[in-house]
Amino acid sequence: MAYLYLSFLLVWFLSKSFLGEAQLNDQATLLAIKEELGGVAGWGDNQTDYCRWEGIRCGLNHSLVERLDLSRRMLRGNVTLISNLKALKELDLSYNNFNGRIPSAFGNLSELEYLDLSLNKFEGSIPVELGGLRNLRSLNLSNNFLVGEIPQELEMLAKLQDFQISSNRLNGSIPHWVGRLTNLRVFTAYENQLVGKIPDNLGLVSELVLLNLHSNQLDGSIPKSIFAMGKLEILVLTQNGLTGELPEEVGNCRGLSSV
């Protein structure tokens, strides 16, 4: 019994030590991020507890940073250091002036469920490392200057429900694997330079309610299959090179309010 008690104390001590060290790391990381971005309003002003800083939410026991919201602050600078916040589940950097490439190190945020980098000036290709974010449910990269094809590695984001890459300069075709993201509810890729046909297997995405692909260079006919599940509510395919008539199967989607 004494042995078990000592073992318990050792595990408790080690876990507390690890947590304390991790907290110090998060605090140091946040201060470094603040400096890198040239200051963040509401961070550290007469308040030493970083879990109370604006835009930050910590986990249970007031411990590690799980949510970082720096949206709509007109910030600029290098955001790579954010990848050191290992417990992060939600990251929102939208509506800022961040530029350069999206840090490949974001692919190390293994707990991340929500990533919004929209309405910035990020350029270059979509990092293949984002395919390592296996817990990701929402990915929004819209309204940037991203180029190249949609990376094959994003096929690994099996939990993805919201996938938005609109208003960039992406080219190539819409990958067939998008139709294998069975939890997908929203897919927007409008205002890019995508070519080829709309994948038939998008009809296998049983939860898809919004599909917006307007203003690309897509061709061929509209697949009947995308109406098969009957859950589509919004479909926008204008300003492409599509041919043929709207399939009569559109009648399966009784909740369709915009075509």
Side-chain angles (χ1 to χ4, degrees), residues 224-242:
K224 299 177 181 180
S225 59
I226 65 175
F227 306 107
M229 295 298 177
K231 290 192 176 181
L232 266 182
E233 296 177 6
I234 297 175
L235 173 66
V236 187
L237 303 175
T238 53
Q239 293 182 281
N240 279 288
L242 299 172

Side-chain angles (χ1 to χ4, degrees), residues 31-73:
L31 290 173
I33 291 170
K34 178 182 178 181
E35 183 176 351
E36 190 71 43
L37 302 185
V40 180
W43 279 25
D45 300 338
N46 301 318
Q47 178 60 261
T48 58
D49 183 1
Y50 63 84
C51 289
R52 297 183 182 276
W53 292 355
E54 187 177 347
I56 293 175
R57 186 189 70 205
C58 291
L60 296 175
N61 302 320
H62 214 55
S63 55
L64 305 178
V65 177
E66 292 189 355
R67 183 175 188 269
L68 179 59
D69 182 355
L70 292 176
S71 62
R72 301 174 185 271
R73 291 171 178 250

Side-chain angles (χ1 to χ4, degrees), residues 98-104 117 120-128 130 141 143-151 165 167-171 192:
F98 295 122
N99 57 19
R101 291 180 174 271
I102 297 172
S104 60
L117 305 179
N120 279 286
K121 299 175 182 177
F122 286 114
E123 57 192 26
S125 58
I126 299 173
V128 298
L130 296 187
L141 306 177
N143 293 89
N144 282 288
F145 301 112
L146 300 174
V147 298
E149 298 187 4
I150 304 169
I165 50 175
S167 297
N168 281 289
R169 299 170 181 172
L170 299 171
N171 56 35
N192 278 291

